[in-house]
Amino acid sequence: MKPLNTMIAAAVALTTLGLTPAMAEYKDEYRVSTVVPAPFPWGLAADKWAELTRERTDGRINLKIYPGVQLVQGDQTREFTALRQGVIDMAVGSTINWSPQITELNLFSLPFLMPDYAALDSLTQGPVGEAIFDAVRKKGAVPLAWAENGFREVTNSKRSIRTPADMEGLKLRVVGSPIYNDMFTALGANPTQMSWADAQPALTTGAVDGQENPLTIYSVLKMHELGQTHVTLWGYVADPLIFAVNPAVFDSFTPEDQQILQQAAVDAGVYGIEVARKGMTGGDQTLIDEIKGYGVDVVTLTPEERQQFVDATRGVYDQWKQKIGSDLVDQAEASVANR
């Protein structure tokens, strides 16, 4: 045990420097995991979080972004476990990628639950979002705010997709969550789960025929150059993002800095959502216009065509409703209906 006079001297030194004991223990940097960097909306939201946090804490909390899930060797589905265990300090993570560890997050992957942005907002900004954050806390992380990766559309190199029959036999890269295997199998496709790092070369070589992702991903990566010359706009699921912190890291901050970190996440999330939706709802030059300009075949489903996909995946919806929790899904359905 340290002599009392030594402990007093240390406390005096901290006070002289204008530091509290908690502040003196802050790390030089906090590692933040993301899947993709700027200029993707996901990466822009993470960068904004780091920028606002640094400014508002006068440099006490410095966030360093590690894109490409490099802190977990590129395995997106390991990110939440690493966050919970303290291997990484913070993350801006996909609800899809974290769903293998937090079953409730599969809610956002229920096929055709959310027809528009208002429906998505009714979930993340209402009681359903609060319930989801409770589930994240119970699994061992501190959720702070929402951002957005966007509605996911399907692309391929073979043909236009207007009906489930058009998906028959297509080899499609899907994310590593079991519900996606179930959905695309139900539609007659041949789903292959792989990380995004592996997906890009697979598309280039033709090892897979297509993939599903938000149009912002398609646009930034110029996926028409990877052979993805057919795009179908079906908005079958959305991919909200969560700003989260390891509990031990969060507890190491003063209450004032905890509040600053959270508000910075909220503000960065608002910014990220704005960027993700920019060009998708109007304006002189939308993402859809841009993609069509590359000579890409862009299909917008009629309500009747879309309903065929809804019907084809209804069995998957019902099966996963039970896994996610009927009460939570019922609440989500009510929120969407009353949006």
Side-chain angles (χ1 to χ4, degrees), residues 12 34 87-88 117 130 160 170 187 193 197 247 260 263 300 321:
V12 170
T34 69
V87 175
I88 57 180
Y117 288 122
E130 294 173 7
S160 297
L170 286 178
L187 290 169
Q193 291 183 335
I260 290 172
Q263 188 59 51
T300 300
K321 179 175 181 176

Side-chain angles (χ1 to χ4, degrees), residues 1-17:
M1 179 178 294
K2 294 182 179 179
L4 180 59
N5 60 344
T6 302
M7 296 175 66
I8 293 173
V12 170
L14 289 172
T15 303
T16 302
L17 292 172

Side-chain angles (χ1 to χ4, degrees), residues 71-109:
L71 299 176
V72 285
Q73 293 75 52
D75 186 346
Q76 297 160 229
T77 59
R78 290 176 53 203
E79 185 179 61
F80 183 79
T81 299
L83 175 65
R84 180 177 57 197
Q85 293 174 343
V87 175
I88 57 180
D89 299 312
M90 309 181 194
V92 182
S94 161
T95 51
I96 295 173
N97 292 337
W98 292 2
S99 65
Q101 288 79 42
I102 309 170
T103 304
E104 291 86 347
L105 295 184
N106 287 287
L107 174 76
F108 300 105
S109 295

Side-chain angles (χ1 to χ4, degrees), residues 274-294:
E274 179 183 347
V275 173
R277 296 183 185 183
K278 185 178 180 181
M280 296 303 297
T281 56
D284 295 330
Q285 177 64 44
T286 68
L287 275 180
I288 296 170
D289 293 333
E290 174 193 324
I291 292 167
K292 286 181 177 178
Y294 298 137

Side-chain angles (χ1 to χ4, degrees), residues 5 8 19 103 114 129 162 168 189 207 232 235 250-251 261 304 311:
N5 60 344
I8 293 173
L19 301 174
T103 304
M114 300 164 287
R162 287 190 174 276
E168 188 71 33
T232 293
F250 193 68
D251 289 344
L261 183 70
E304 294 76 19
D311 295 341

Side-chain angles (χ1 to χ4, degrees), residues 239-276:
D239 185 14
L241 307 174
I242 297 176
F243 294 79
V245 187
N246 171 271
V249 170
F250 193 68
D251 289 344
S252 74
F253 299 139
T254 64
E256 293 79 10
D257 281 344
Q258 289 176 351
Q259 185 175 1
I260 290 172
L261 183 70
Q262 179 162 17
Q263 188 59 51
V266 170
D267 294 343
V270 170
Y271 167 74
I273 290 171
E274 179 183 347
V275 173

